[in-house]
Amino acid sequence: MHEFNPEVEALADDILKYSLLRLRQEPPLDHAKTPDELLKAAGNTITEKGLGGKEALRIFTDVLAPSCLSTDHPSYLAFIPSAPSEHATLFDLVVGASAIYGGSWLEGAGAVFAENQALRWISDLAGLPESAGGVFVQGGTIGNLSALVAARHTARDKAKASGRKIERWVIVASNQAHSSIKSAAEVMDCEVLFANADEDLVLRASAVGSAISKYISENPNHEIFALVGTAGSTNLGIIDDLDSLGDYANKNNIWFHVDGAYGAAALCAPSVRALFNGIEKCDSMIVDPHKWLFAPFDACALIYRNPALGKAAHTQHASYLDTLEDENEFNPSDYAIHLTRRPRGLPFWYSLASNGSKAYSDAVEDTMNTARIAVRLINEHPNLELLMDPQLSIVAFTRKGWSAAEYQEWSDKLLDDQIAFVTPSAHQGKPILRFAIVNPWTSEKELTQILATL
Ligand SMILES: *Cc1c(COP(=O)(O)O)cnc(C)c1O
């Protein structure tokens, strides 16, 4: 099977044609099927002799692909959609064809160089120093975990040096923080102290200060080692008061991590840049280009103010790896929980390099304009109530008089009718609907069509 013969040549044609068709046309929204339905349609695909490339491709295009939602469809507004640019998607094909190892400078210097320039763009937008740097990891969950592991490693070193015995390590975060913070704490076997966001759902230093004082008076041998600020909550797009959180953390020698998996993309949008003030005080930050920076799955930019601290926490040592350890070479493997890595930042880099940063600012502003249109349409709608004015591009609202079951029924029917994918969420125990708008293809037309069913 390792032979580029005429059959493979013909297959390559088919595969490239399919890929281009998928890019060129608006895909159907599609929907999931049950395992039984899929087994009936696809059969058992793993056989001793193999199906042949043509037949396996047919099964994919006819059966499997239509059973996967098109997350880049302009009416896919649930969770956080994806909206990769044409350039980014095309370049993913190149990365796939190139067998580049993205873990070390020795093996992937050119790719690592390009990824680092893309990281530099983000780090400059955040106002981090020239020395900042990091790595593209799989997603925000791994990005947050890797940053917090570096934070604890740093705090442990300090505690060891001062001879202090710490009974339990503690992360402070907003009660609005993403579920991956709690998950990271479980993996690390540490606690999360949830501080209450204010009524406007923004976490401020005053709330953090009182939560910590109370907690430490009850648990004197526990140590707060990290404060997580959220730059764009997933449910409602709310940005914490990064300025006061950063000051508080820096003054109290606590690692300040900013989770901007969704929202930090808007650092490049002049109309909302001021909402992120204080992000420059962070020790680490993340943003997922696969969310609102128009890259395909999966890529999270993890950036450290002082990359040496990330490296100290994450470098793996083994006799066969030591040859890679040259102090002057930058090895992306050393900065997160991974070793082998695809240079997953390259599709993002290629699109950014090709289109220029202004195209990114324009596209992010564009989606926020669409969110403003959604706000207007919701305010004009007799049955709907806007939950709050969005800070970024997530618009949340309620349908007067509906129970949770009615929301779910409506959502299921919307997808069955192939109109849109919008799932119910909740806020303070009450069901809500939300539009997460990151796709420049989403327009007033799609929003009007959805709202007409409410
Ligand atoms: C999506 C998200 C995450 C998790 O990122 P994944 O890429 O899905 O792992 C973490 N934090 C926030 C704020 C998010 O929106």
Side-chain angles (χ1 to χ4, degrees):
M1 57 186 181
H2 288 79
E3 189 188 352
F4 202 96
N5 54 31
E7 194 196 326
V8 170
E9 185 91 50
L11 205 53
D13 250 13
D14 290 349
I15 285 179
L16 288 176
K17 258 196 213 117
Y18 171 82
S19 304
L20 290 184
L21 196 70
R22 173 63 178 78
L23 259 187
R24 208 177 279 136
Q25 295 179 348
E26 183 175 309
L29 193 50
D30 293 323
H31 54 86
K33 296 190 181 63
T34 66
D36 280 347
E37 287 169 331
L38 286 173
L39 184 59
K40 213 158 151 211
N44 183 11
T45 56
I46 309 304
T47 61
E48 190 182 348
K49 286 219 167 86
L51 304 175
K54 258 196 170 350
E55 174 57 9
L57 183 61
R58 184 199 67 75
I59 292 174
F60 177 77
T61 57
D62 291 0
V63 180
L64 306 179
S67 315
C68 300
L69 290 184
S70 303
T71 59
D72 56 345
H73 190 286
S75 296
Y76 183 120
L77 304 176
F79 312 118
I80 306 284
S82 83
S85 71
E86 272 61 19
H87 287 75
T89 302
L90 283 173
F91 206 70
D92 212 22
L93 289 174
V94 175
V95 174
S98 302
I100 297 169
Y101 182 79
S104 71
W105 188 267
L106 175 69
E107 290 153 287
V112 175
F113 172 83
E115 283 189 311
N116 285 351
Q117 286 200 338
L119 289 168
R120 159 81 35 221
W121 178 64
I122 296 168
S123 145
D124 286 349
L125 285 173
L128 286 168
E130 191 66 17
S131 52
V135 59
F136 288 97
V137 296
Q138 175 267 328
T141 300
I142 298 294
N144 282 335
L145 174 61
S146 297
L148 291 168
V149 164
R152 186 177 57 182
H153 190 273
T154 305
R156 261 186 185 153
D157 279 355
K158 276 188 209 156
K160 245 182 247 160
S162 68
R164 287 183 54 222
K165 282 252 173 312
I166 309 292
E167 220 170 73
R168 197 88 180 124
W169 293 99
V170 185
I171 300 162
V172 187
S174 163
N175 53 356
Q176 305 292 312
H178 189 264
S179 48
S180 57
I181 302 301
K182 179 83 185 143
S183 153
E186 299 251 331
V187 173
M188 295 165 68
D189 191 24
C190 57
E191 301 286 324
V192 185
L193 168 62
F194 287 108
N196 286 329
D198 288 343
E199 217 156 278
D200 57 3
L201 305 176
V202 172
L203 182 67
R204 298 188 171 78
S206 46
V208 169
S210 43
I212 292 182
S213 312
K214 178 162 181 290
Y215 181 86
I216 290 297
S217 70
E218 290 161 7
N219 304 279
N221 296 325
H222 293 199
E223 177 86 348
I224 311 282
F225 71 93
L227 168 59
V228 178
T230 304
S233 62
T234 320
N235 204 25
L236 298 170
I238 308 265
I239 303 168
D240 286 338
D241 179 9
L242 303 177
D243 207 37
S244 75
L245 297 183
D247 281 342
Y248 180 90
N250 290 347
K251 192 151 44 134
N252 291 282
N253 257 317
I254 297 171
W255 182 290
F256 182 40
H257 174 65
V258 174
D259 177 1
Y262 149 70
L267 281 169
C268 72
S271 71
V272 292
R273 175 58 184 84
L275 296 174
F276 297 90
N277 285 351
I279 194 171
E280 72 283 356
K281 295 170 185 166
C282 75
D283 294 289
S284 56
M285 64 168 285
I286 63 156
V287 56
D288 280 353
H290 67 224
K291 284 183 170 165
W292 201 9
L293 284 174
F294 318 114
F297 301 130
D298 42 19
C300 164
L302 161 63
I303 299 172
Y304 299 97
R305 165 180 298 276
N306 178 0
L309 298 177
K311 185 173 176 180
H314 291 297
T315 303
Q316 296 186 24
H317 297 282
S319 49
Y320 50 87
L321 292 175
D322 289 346
T323 179
L324 294 173
E325 283 311 313
D326 177 330
E327 277 307 306
N328 300 312
E329 289 180 355
F330 186 92
N331 298 322
S333 287
D334 291 343
Y335 297 88
I337 299 158
H338 58 195
L339 185 60
T340 296
R341 69 179 288 275
R342 166 188 174 87
R344 52 168 45 83
L346 282 185
F348 170 60
W349 161 79
Y350 179 73
S351 180
L352 183 61
S354 304
N355 293 298
S357 59
K358 174 77 164 53
Y360 278 71
S361 302
D362 290 349
V364 171
E365 292 285 6
D366 205 34
T367 52
M368 285 193 290
N369 273 329
T370 309
R372 281 173 212 125
I373 292 173
V375 167
R376 174 170 58 74
L377 296 174
I378 289 162
N379 281 330
E380 286 168 4
H381 197 298
N383 301 333
L384 304 179
E385 234 164 324
L386 188 72
L387 191 71
M388 64 182 66
D389 269 319
Q391 281 190 313
L392 297 173
S393 70
I394 296 174
V395 184
F397 57 100
T398 53
R399 168 68 165 77
K400 291 177 195 161
W402 272 12
S403 66
E406 285 170 299
Y407 281 102
Q408 189 59 54
E409 240 170 69
W410 168 84
S411 169
D412 293 345
K413 179 157 169 22
L414 202 66
L415 183 61
D416 280 349
D417 295 345
Q418 291 286 287
I419 294 173
F421 187 52
V422 180
T423 51
S425 178
H427 175 59
Q428 293 175 342
K430 298 213 176 80
I432 60 166
L433 291 174
R434 58 190 272 290
F435 292 159
I437 300 171
V438 300
N439 192 335
W441 289 91
T442 305
S443 71
E444 180 160 354
K445 185 185 112 204
E446 285 79 21
L447 300 173
T448 306
Q449 202 188 2
I450 299 167
L451 294 175
T453 64
L454 286 160

